[in-house]
Amino acid sequence: MDHQPQPAASSPAPAPAHADDKDRDLQHSPPMAARLALTAAEQRLFSLLNDVCKAAPNNVVCRVAGGWVRDKLLGHQSDDLDIALDSYMGFDFASLVASHLNDPKRQLQWQQILDNEHTMDRAHPDRTAQPFAGLAKILANPDKSKHLETATARVLGMDVDFVNLRSETYHAHSRIPATIAFGTPKDDALRRDCTINALFYNISTSAVEDFTDRGLTDLAHGIIRTPLDPRATFHDDPLRVLRAVRFAARLGFTLAPDLQNAANDPELHDALANKISKERIGTELHKMLAGPGPAHAVAMLHHLGVLPTISLAHVTDAILVRDAVTHAPIEHLHVDLADAPRAVTLLHWLASANRTGAALRHVPPHDYAVLRAYPRLTTLEVPTAAYLATVTLPFHGTQYRVPNPSLEAAKDAIASKKAKRGGAAAAAAAAALAAPQWHALAHHVVRSNFKQTNHEAEWVAHAHAVLSAVQKLVVAEKVDVDAVLAATGADPRRTSAVVADVPLAEKGIVLERLALGRLVRFLAARNVGETWAAVVAVVCVHELVGKGVPLVKHDAKSLALVVKGDKVADDKAHAVLKRYHALLDRIYVLQLDRAWAVKPILNGNDLLKLLNLPKGPLVKDALDWVGDWQLAFPQGNADTCRAWLERRYLPPGEAPACKREPSSDPPAAAGKPKKVRGSDALATS
């Protein structure tokens, strides 16, 4: 039996005190109107669906469910069109829509309307929309958290999902519903994760319906609340804890007190670790970190005790852990994740502060002024992997390996045979080859527990690996060229050759370009590429957290970010940020930010002919010479580079062409080194 619609209140409710005016494009100030402002495309679609309902063999009411209603009430455009049906399965009703539009007269009429308005097909932006296309049935798949059959189609150019209203019951030890059946709108609303996602828009009455009686109020006051007792809601599906956090972070809402109490239950954490697949947890975490409120999300996860659960679940059961410096084994892994929210907050600020007019979300304006005074890092794009790197900073310095009994047995057998034939040295070599490698624990957490991509796990491992090296380089506002060259493995032969023909007055800038270019390439390794500056930001965050500044905390009630600076903390933060700002600014001033992507001006075949080199390692060495020369002389051309190589190239093992120290003698005084040709190069190698 259907319920009478309950239209939304006509007057808007005030936004929470911590909302920040126009800077917060996703903050809530919902226009609570009984009639939503529909776009022309939405009006067309709903008119069509009403016509289909009237012509359907069985009585049916179409409602738009969930996210679309919420976003429209918040004043945001939404493409998340889920049509909930009270008496039809999704595919059956979508087939009725297809049949209705297959009538030649109607099809021609709708096609003319779409053509006249040049309505584009959202699935194919280069095409004009068709009245109906792309009908598909998505079967239920409980293992992938898809508990109900859904139909999807493009109707009048819009992507639409069709699904029936349902009620669900659950087994005690599974998040997969035991029974799923047609339900009333109220049944369907009460089974949802939170009240603001349980709102409906009745297409036939053009009214918002709130069957939980709290959705509109919670939306107006910025509260995430479950429709039923949160303990029951989370017991049925522990993943809903993460969904509640994600929506609170995305919208800047607060978690209801009873929801927080229920989410802090150790039994729920155990269920989250053992009943929910890591893939589903990883999907929710990725959406949190890629959304507008990553710092708010991590703060809530930590406050609810969920962050250690999803980070460390089953770690010690499956792997061996050791300290990366001492190599001492760690039998009981205890990682304090209290600094993770602060680290993510700082990175979020560094990312937000570099977008014109952007503020740090969820920080009250009077507190944000503290951060606004700090120096800003130059042009910074922060990928999701960088947030993962800050979340896992507490794991920095810890390594892991996965024991493999069969591999250990094979290693012993190989070592035994090698020992008989080749002695202890051969046995040791065989054992070393067979031994599993040690890797950064953060890589394991990101790849195996968070189920993020291998690229993101590699990004995190690389950022953690270079932390100490980069931090030692950024100790002053002026870059130490020699330290950077040494840290990036610059070959003294090449460095000396690069400056050999440079006037004394210009050697400093040439060496600086070489050093900073090599640093960019060093930071951009492991497929980090254009996001190399975010690695610098992670290093900066690590240093700030280590110094305990700035004092970023979270309000115990709302979990909103609160920045409380003091003179000592401000001075420390300014000093740190100035150094990292100076480094990045200098790289951009010298136009070295794309150094990682510069291709050699000469290729291997060119070098084989030019230097009479044999194929093999010497070609790679010569290409490294070309790479360093291009960093030092970005305006140089291929002919100039060839001439320089003919004068200055030395194969490995030979003394540098000139001294590393600057000399006041003219370049000609040093003499012209001999060219390395054919057999000479082979003999030297």
Side-chain angles (χ1 to χ4, degrees):
M1 181 176 179
D2 205 354
H3 291 253
Q4 292 300 315
Q6 301 174 7
S10 58
S11 60
H18 65 273
D20 187 12
D21 50 50
K22 64 181 180 181
D23 284 332
R24 312 202 192 281
D25 58 332
L26 285 180
Q27 286 292 354
H28 44 283
S29 181
M32 294 303 175
R35 296 292 186 269
L36 298 182
L38 303 180
T39 65
E42 291 165 346
Q43 290 176 4
R44 279 197 304 264
L45 176 65
F46 295 167
S47 175
L48 169 65
L49 294 178
N50 271 331
D51 290 344
V52 175
C53 288
K54 292 174 183 177
N58 301 323
N59 291 333
V60 58
V61 177
C62 279
R63 293 176 171 86
V64 189
W68 180 89
V69 186
R70 177 200 67 229
D71 289 345
K72 294 292 280 191
L73 286 169
L74 290 171
H76 311 315
Q77 184 54 36
S78 176
D79 296 330
D80 185 17
L81 278 163
D82 293 329
I83 304 301
L85 309 158
D86 62 353
S87 59
Y88 277 88
M89 296 293 287
F91 188 82
D92 295 338
F93 186 82
S95 298
L96 289 179
V97 176
S99 298
H100 183 85
L101 287 172
N102 280 338
D103 176 87
K105 185 176 180 180
R106 292 195 193 99
Q107 190 175 49
L108 178 62
Q109 177 185 3
W110 279 110
Q111 192 65 63
Q112 288 176 341
I113 292 172
L114 298 175
D115 291 345
N116 290 338
E117 296 187 6
H118 305 289
T119 304
M120 294 296 102
D121 186 338
R122 294 184 183 183
H124 305 283
D126 57 331
R127 306 179 193 172
T128 301
Q130 299 176 3
F132 191 93
L135 176 60
K137 180 189 291 188
I138 303 174
L139 299 176
N141 187 351
D143 291 338
K144 298 294 184 181
S145 298
K146 187 70 177 175
H147 303 311
L148 202 67
E149 176 186 302
T150 305
T152 182
R154 292 194 301 281
V155 185
L156 306 185
M158 302 181 72
D159 292 323
V160 184
D161 289 344
F162 297 92
V163 68
N164 61 286
L165 295 171
R166 66 268 200 193
S167 63
E168 299 172 349
T169 60
Y170 291 81
H171 289 302
H173 301 292
S174 174
R175 66 177 300 267
I176 299 175
T179 61
I180 301 176
F182 272 101
T184 65
K186 185 167 186 176
D187 290 334
D188 193 278
L190 292 178
R191 69 160 191 86
R192 292 179 179 262
D193 51 9
C194 54
T195 57
I196 65 169
N197 291 339
L199 299 169
F200 292 99
Y201 177 77
N202 190 313
I203 292 176
S204 63
T205 63
S206 302
V208 175
E209 300 173 337
D210 182 4
F211 293 101
T212 69
D213 296 326
R214 307 195 70 168
L216 292 171
T217 302
D218 290 340
L219 191 65
H221 291 90
I223 297 173
I224 300 295
R225 190 192 316 275
T226 55
L228 300 173
D229 182 330
R231 291 171 297 182
T233 299
F234 295 154
H235 175 78
D236 288 344
D237 185 357
L239 188 68
R240 288 171 175 165
V241 174
L242 299 187
R243 287 179 57 82
V245 168
R246 174 162 65 86
F247 284 113
R250 175 189 167 188
L251 301 170
F253 284 16
T254 59
L255 301 175
D258 62 338
L259 186 152
Q260 293 188 43
N261 292 335
N264 262 310
D265 185 355
E267 290 187 9
L268 176 65
H269 297 169
D270 182 69
L272 189 62
N274 295 292
K275 290 175 62 176
I276 308 300
S277 71
K278 292 178 180 178
E279 287 80 5
R280 293 298 297 145
I281 291 174
T283 297
E284 292 297 325
L285 181 64
H286 183 86
K287 290 178 179 179
M288 292 178 203
L289 298 180
H296 193 32
V298 175
M300 286 185 283
L301 291 175
H302 177 69
H303 175 79
L304 300 175
V306 173
L307 188 58
T309 298
I310 63 177
S311 301
L312 297 170
H314 314 303
V315 165
T316 53
D317 294 341
I319 67 176
L320 300 177
V321 184
R322 75 178 184 185
D323 182 273
V325 178
T326 65
H327 293 177
I330 302 174
E331 295 184 4
H332 302 287
L333 182 64
H334 297 287
V335 179
D336 184 2
L337 297 174
D339 280 338
R342 182 176 290 110
V344 177
T345 299
L346 290 167
L347 182 64
H348 188 198
W349 172 73
L350 290 174
S352 301
N354 290 286
R355 294 198 294 269
T356 303
L360 180 59
R361 296 191 186 284
H362 320 309
V363 174
H366 65 281
D367 291 327
Y368 178 67
V370 176
L371 284 176
R372 197 185 291 273
Y374 290 148
R376 300 178 179 184
L377 301 188
T378 307
T379 311
L380 187 63
E381 292 295 329
V382 177
T384 304
Y387 286 112
L388 289 165
T390 50
V391 170
T392 55
L393 274 178
F395 298 102
H396 174 245
T398 306
Q399 295 178 321
Y400 84 98
R401 72 178 179 90
V402 180
N404 187 329
S406 59
L407 183 61
E408 297 290 333
K411 178 189 70 174
D412 292 341
I414 293 173
S416 176
K417 292 180 180 178
K418 292 285 185 181
K420 292 178 180 178
R421 290 194 301 232
L433 289 174
Q437 299 297 309
W438 289 88
H439 303 283
L441 180 59
H443 183 285
H444 175 81
V445 171
V446 172
R447 188 71 183 97
S448 299
N449 278 11
F450 293 165
K451 287 298 179 183
Q452 303 304 298
T453 65
N454 191 59
H455 171 77
E456 288 171 319
E458 289 289 334
W459 200 106
V460 170
H462 174 65
H464 284 206
V466 303
L467 273 177
S468 298
V470 176
Q471 197 164 316
K472 290 176 182 177
L473 295 176
V474 190
V475 294
E477 292 184 39
K478 183 173 176 58
V479 176
D480 185 333
V481 170
D482 288 326
V484 173
L485 288 172
T488 57
D491 189 331
R493 296 175 304 129
R494 296 199 300 268
T495 302
S496 298
V498 164
V499 297
D501 301 325
V502 177
L504 179 61
E506 299 177 15
K507 284 186 178 180
I509 187 65
V510 170
L511 286 172
E512 186 182 18
R513 276 199 298 261
L514 173 60
L516 292 181
R518 289 187 60 86
L519 179 60
V520 169
R521 290 184 173 180
F522 174 72
L523 294 168
R526 302 279 288 271
N527 295 322
V528 168
E530 62 185 356
T531 60
W532 63 268
V535 175
V536 178
V538 171
V539 179
C540 179
V541 165
H542 182 251
E543 186 169 349
L544 285 168
V545 171
K547 294 181 182 295
V549 292
L551 302 179
V552 183
K553 299 181 180 179
H554 296 83
D555 179 72
K557 182 178 180 181
S558 68
L559 299 184
L561 306 181
V562 179
V563 183
K564 297 294 185 184
D566 58 39
K567 184 64 169 65
V568 175
D570 284 349
D571 289 345
K572 289 181 179 179
H574 272 87
V576 172
L577 285 164
K578 278 185 178 179
R579 289 190 274 109
Y580 286 90
H581 170 81
L583 171 66
L584 289 177
D585 189 55
R586 192 62 180 156
I587 289 172
Y588 280 95
V589 165
L590 294 177
Q591 299 181 347
L592 291 165
D593 51 297
R594 298 286 299 174
W596 61 275
V598 175
K599 295 182 179 179
I601 201 170
L602 300 174
N603 61 35
N605 289 330
D606 294 331
L607 297 174
L608 285 172
K609 297 175 183 177
L610 178 68
L611 302 174
N612 282 337
L613 297 177
K615 293 182 179 180
L618 285 181
V619 177
K620 170 63 170 61
D621 178 68
L623 284 172
D624 290 339
W625 280 63
V626 173
D628 278 5
W629 184 87
Q630 286 181 255
L631 292 175
F633 307 103
Q635 305 304 321
N637 57 40
D639 290 338
T640 308
C641 185
R642 287 191 188 93
W644 172 75
L645 283 171
E646 287 187 307
R647 291 195 310 275
R648 296 297 179 186
Y649 177 72
L650 290 171
E654 289 200 8
C658 68
K659 293 183 178 180
R660 167 68 178 83
E661 296 80 7
S663 172
S664 58
D665 296 331
K672 184 177 179 181
K674 64 178 182 180
K675 297 179 183 179
V676 179
R677 301 284 185 182
S679 59
D680 292 335
L682 285 172
T684 306
S685 64

